Amino acid sequence: MSELLLLSNSTNHGAQPLDHAPLAEFYGGRTVLFVPYALADHAGYATRIGEAFARAGVALRSVHTETDPAAALAAAEAVWVGGGNTFRLLATLQRIDGLLAIGTAVAAGAHYGGASAGTNLACPTIRTTNDMPIVEPAGFAALGLVDFQVNAHYLDPLPGSTHMGETRAERIREFHEENETPVVGLREGGLLRVSGESVTLSGRARVFRRGTQPEEVGDGPLRPWGPPA
Amino acid sequence: MSELLLLSNSTNHGAQPLDHAPLAEFYGGRTVLFVPYALADHAGYATRIGEAFARAGVALRSVHTETDPAAALAAAEAVWVGGGNTFRLLATLQRIDGLLAIGTAVAAGAHYGGASAGTNLACPTIRTTNDMPIVEPAGFAALGLVDFQVNAHYLDPLPGSTHMGETRAERIREFHEENETPVVGLREGGLLRVSGESVTLSGRARVFRRGTQPEEVGDGPLRPWGPPA
């Protein structure tokens, strides 16, 4: 019975980091272990996220200060996985045996929260990240805490753009040329609250399923992987 | 003495594919073998690129119609590697032993041209691609025909954007947190003509070297890996 909070982005435009995240409600008194590996500067990142959690009244320490990070992750009652570069996040967790540790904690009831790269990490693979592959992970398999992919920071093409790179929707269509898994294009400001089999969207998303037209959805229950309701 | 033509993008806004590429001059009467693996529809892609080469008066056939693609690539006197998804391009070439074959051909004097994903493939690795990792290659090492990375479709942040995803410059800065290799951010419409040690830019680019401020450059000789001229 996994409890997950998955955000598109850490910081809304013009706002403080995580001010749009219901941290106190989601973590309910648990002490949160922060995973800063998506950025290079772990200490600086832990300070900034610590301030955001303090504003929400939630206790947080960072796994980069632990002598045995994998053991600390496996024993955590709650984790927050920060945004940044998804390839670096995954490669670092692979190196410290952190993936299995987080999976163990979540299976034992730990609450898992994340934003952007941290949301990608909860998916079956990182194949729908927007990030640059600046480091080479041992593979693209991620935690698989949900049975769909999220594309974070989802956005529409800009009207009148002359840029010839692929649009986000075109990239997800290419994903579905090679993969079956549904993709939730989670717009900025949006979040998914997962509780066991139940997935609830706050905000707006565009759901992509192979062989069908994408569907724009708003607040409410979301089941991108099942038959249409 | 490698001869390379590396484009940022296949198609300029409002123009026909490859109309901005000096194909006749670069290929000089050679028959070109087309590598369509960055897109899913090889036959459709070969038709479109065949039309573009026909407009330029350059003979082209596609490697996807060959019974032994690796042998055909190794024996080619010229190749053109089309744009699309860089991960798919690399994974497909790994599967058919195409990387070594192209390297063999270029070492024997074959002229190598490419756009976007095809330009990424000429670099040491694909670590500066903008593409979504829709398939998992066996590794990120690419052809290494040049000793710098290109970031294709390079663009500046849009003025007034409220989008919170990383800018292209931020992504390349993150690349340099993990890697030393210089990166040429090649703006759309731009191309690099490599002849042995000589690299000439047509168009505009932004050159990123670890630990220094990025440098905007225009038409002329380019040596992003060496000491400043």
Side-chain angles (χ1 to χ4, degrees):
Chain A
M1 185 73 177
S2 300
E3 299 291 341
L4 317 177
L5 178 67
L6 305 177
L7 275 64
S8 178
N9 52 308
S10 301
T11 310
N12 279 342
H13 183 72
Q16 294 286 325
L18 301 180
D19 274 2
H20 63 300
L23 299 175
E25 177 192 338
F26 176 64
Y27 285 117
R30 289 170 182 80
T31 294
V32 176
L33 191 59
F34 175 53
V35 178
Y37 301 134
L39 293 189
D41 173 12
H42 301 161
Y45 197 11
T47 299
R48 292 197 301 282
I49 294 298
E51 290 165 359
F53 272 72
R55 282 196 300 277
V58 178
L60 179 129
R61 62 182 208 280
S62 180
V63 72
H64 83 280
T65 64
E66 302 283 336
T67 34
D68 187 340
L73 285 168
E77 57 181 11
V79 296
W80 176 262
V81 183
N85 184 282
T86 304
F87 291 90
R88 177 160 54 192
L89 171 64
L90 182 61
T92 308
L93 285 170
Q94 288 168 343
R95 207 156 50 231
I96 65 163
D97 291 326
L99 282 178
L100 181 60
I102 295 175
T104 300
V106 173
H111 285 214
Y112 178 102
S116 194
T119 290
N120 292 336
L121 191 73
C123 297
T125 73
I126 65 162
R127 293 186 182 202
T128 52
T129 179
N130 308 312
D131 294 336
M132 192 173 269
I134 60 171
V135 297
E136 187 178 321
F140 290 175
L143 290 169
L145 303 178
V146 293
D147 56 0
F148 53 92
Q149 293 288 130
V150 177
N151 177 252
H153 303 273
Y154 184 79
L155 80 177
D156 298 310
L158 288 159
S161 171
T162 61
H163 187 66
M164 298 303 287
E166 291 87 350
T167 67
R168 197 67 66 80
E170 285 167 352
R171 294 170 192 274
I172 297 172
R173 185 182 53 67
E174 291 193 337
F175 172 82
H176 278 143
E177 288 173 348
E178 305 288 342
N179 303 273
E180 290 271 5
T181 314
V183 179
V184 178
L186 190 59
R187 293 178 187 278
E188 289 194 343
L191 61 87
L192 300 175
R193 179 69 175 86
V194 180
S195 184
E197 294 297 307
S198 145
V199 183
T200 306
L201 167 67
S202 297
R204 296 201 66 79
R206 199 161 179 86
V207 177
F208 298 80
R209 299 168 68 191
R210 189 179 194 170
T212 67
Q213 289 298 310
E215 186 187 357
E216 187 75 19
V217 294
D219 291 341
L222 184 75
R223 291 195 161 275
W225 59 93
Chain B
M1 186 70 179
S2 300
E3 298 293 340
L4 317 176
L5 178 68
L6 305 176
L7 276 63
S8 177
N9 52 308
S10 301
T11 310
N12 279 343
H13 183 72
Q16 294 287 326
L18 302 181
D19 274 2
H20 63 302
L23 299 176
E25 177 191 336
F26 176 65
Y27 285 116
R30 290 171 182 80
T31 293
V32 176
L33 190 58
F34 175 53
V35 177
Y37 301 134
L39 292 189
D41 174 12
H42 301 161
Y45 198 9
T47 299
R48 292 197 301 284
I49 294 299
E51 289 164 1
F53 272 72
R55 282 196 298 278
V58 179
L60 178 129
R61 61 184 208 278
S62 179
V63 72
H64 83 280
T65 63
E66 300 283 335
T67 33
D68 187 341
L73 285 167
E77 57 180 10
V79 295
W80 176 260
V81 182
N85 184 281
T86 305
F87 292 90
R88 177 161 53 194
L89 171 63
L90 181 60
T92 307
L93 285 170
Q94 287 169 344
R95 208 156 50 233
I96 66 163
D97 292 325
L99 283 177
L100 180 61
I102 295 173
T104 301
V106 173
H111 285 214
Y112 177 101
S116 194
T119 290
N120 293 335
L121 190 74
C123 297
T125 73
I126 64 163
R127 292 184 182 205
T128 52
T129 178
N130 308 310
D131 294 337
M132 191 172 271
I134 59 172
V135 297
E136 187 177 320
F140 290 176
L143 289 170
L145 302 179
V146 292
D147 57 0
F148 54 91
Q149 293 287 130
V150 177
N151 178 251
H153 301 274
Y154 184 79
L155 80 179
D156 299 310
L158 287 160
S161 171
T162 61
H163 187 67
M164 300 301 288
E166 292 86 351
T167 66
R168 194 68 65 79
E170 285 167 353
R171 294 171 193 273
I172 295 171
R173 186 183 51 69
E174 291 195 335
F175 171 82
H176 278 143
E177 288 172 350
E178 306 287 344
N179 303 273
E180 291 272 4
T181 315
V183 179
V184 178
L186 189 58
R187 294 180 186 277
E188 290 192 343
L191 61 88
L192 300 175
R193 179 68 175 88
V194 180
S195 184
E197 294 298 307
S198 144
V199 183
T200 306
L201 167 66
S202 297
R204 294 201 68 78
R206 200 162 179 85
V207 176
F208 298 79
R209 299 169 67 190
R210 190 178 195 171
T212 68
Q213 289 298 310
E215 186 188 355
E216 187 75 20
V217 293
D219 292 339
L222 184 76
R223 291 195 161 275
W225 58 95

